[in-house]
Structure formats: structure tokens, C-alpha cells
Amino acid sequence: QVQLVESGGGSVQAGGSVRLSCAASGYTYSMYWLVMGWFRQAPGKEREGVAVIDSDGSTSYADSVKGRCTISKDNAKNTLYLQMNSLKPEDTAMYYCAADYRRMTAIQALGVMTRNGFNYGGQGTQVTVSS
């Protein structure tokens, strides 16, 4: 059973930056084999896949954050990151870390995470962007 714990959220002004972290544990194999990503959900809105990184390190981003966000992972530290820059009020949401052992490319995984979700998810961390 994979456990995921997010941290790093908070309140920030528009144009600012935030770095989210996700500590992973409990997996049978190395974190290397996990497809991992971040999705967000704002009140009254659908879940939106934000970014995914596959086991080979390839990444995929939602159009809404492309050029402003960078997803990365440190397999030695068992941690996934999401660096978000040039934040906008519409980025306000609960951000969740998710992981899956299924073999998917990053592009496939972004769609799967958005439509169906991954097998494992965290409790979320709130990001609030004020104008």
C-alpha cells in the first residue's frame, strides 16, 4: 500500500511561487517504477490533472500550467515535487499527489489521472492565490 503525504501549500499573492512536496512510502518496489503526478480540485469544479512524471522521467502538463510548473522526483529521497511559478488566482485549489504502478506514458497518465484517478492518492494540501 503506497502512502503519500503532501506538504508545502499555503497562501501566496498572484505572481508568486510555491513548491509542493509529496513524501512517498509503503511501496513494494522502488519509487522509480511509479508513475506519479499532481492533480487539483477547487470547490465546485472538476478534478484537473496538473502534471505527471513517468518512471523514465518524462513529464506532461496541463495546458493551464504549462510553462509555469515543473514536476520532478527524487527517488533517493522518495519525494515528488511540484514547483509552481507565476501563480494566478485560478490556481487556487486543493492539490493532491497521486501514484500508480500501471505502465503509462506521461501523456497517457495525465489523461488517466484526470478522468479516472490513480490507484494511490494523498490527503491534499491547499494552495490559495490572492490577487
Side-chain angles (χ1 to χ4, degrees):
Q1 185 76 8
V2 177
Q3 288 91 44
L4 303 169
V5 180
E6 303 93 338
S7 61
S11 296
V12 61
Q13 288 193 323
S17 298
V18 68
R19 188 193 197 202
L20 306 182
S21 299
C22 172
S25 63
Y27 34 82
T28 302
Y29 305 105
S30 166
M31 182 173 143
Y32 170 84
W33 296 107
L34 286 168
V35 175
M36 302 189 74
W38 294 90
F39 67 94
R40 65 188 180 185
Q41 191 157 21
K45 294 190 177 180
E46 302 258 329
R47 175 175 55 203
E48 178 187 21
V50 176
V52 169
I53 184 166
D54 69 17
S55 58
D56 294 329
S58 297
T59 58
S60 184
Y61 298 92
D63 288 342
S64 58
V65 303
K66 204 169 289 184
R68 300 189 296 120
C69 288
T70 302
I71 187 171
S72 61
K73 64 176 181 173
D74 187 330
N75 291 328
K77 294 184 178 180
N78 301 319
T79 303
L80 177 75
Y81 303 100
L82 183 69
Q83 177 70 42
M84 303 178 66
N85 303 320
S86 303
L87 284 163
K88 306 174 182 180
E90 49 265 42
D91 293 318
T92 295
M94 186 71 82
Y95 284 74
Y96 299 87
C97 174
D100 204 296
Y101 274 118
R102 286 176 287 178
R103 293 279 292 173
M104 294 178 277
T105 65
I107 294 176
Q108 291 170 333
L110 189 64
V112 169
M113 186 172 62
T114 299
R115 293 190 302 272
N116 308 109
F118 281 178
N119 286 337
Y120 305 102
Q123 294 300 308
T125 185
Q126 177 70 35
V127 174
T128 302
V129 185
S130 57
S131 57

